[in-house]
Amino acid sequence: MRRRFFIIFNPAAGRQRRRALGEIIAALKLRGAAVTLNETASAEAGRTDAQAALNSGGYDAIVAAGGDGTVRQ
């Protein structure tokens, strides 16, 4: 199982998604995963943060959580 997750989250994506994301993070942590949650301020910030996480080599997975725009960026 992947153990180190960097999750890019769009805080404007909606309340239901935020609740689901919280449940997913809790489940990952119960299984021993380390989770870094990064709330984006803009599409450009999301891309920059994802690139920095990738370049760091400190994560097994980089995840986009939000709507279509978050995933597209």
Side-chain angles (χ1 to χ4, degrees), residues 1-65:
M1 176 179 162
R2 294 177 184 204
R3 298 281 181 197
R4 301 167 300 166
F5 295 86
F6 185 85
I7 301 176
I8 299 168
F9 172 68
N10 179 350
R15 196 174 311 209
Q16 292 290 349
R17 289 185 180 146
R18 189 173 191 87
R19 187 175 311 125
L21 180 59
E23 292 171 2
I24 291 166
I25 290 170
L28 287 169
K29 287 182 176 182
L30 277 174
R31 289 166 179 79
V35 177
T36 300
L37 182 61
N38 182 68
E39 290 193 11
T40 60
S42 68
E44 182 60 34
R47 284 191 298 272
T48 300
D49 295 345
Q51 188 64 53
L54 177 65
N55 292 343
S56 78
Y59 300 97
D60 297 313
I62 298 172
V63 179

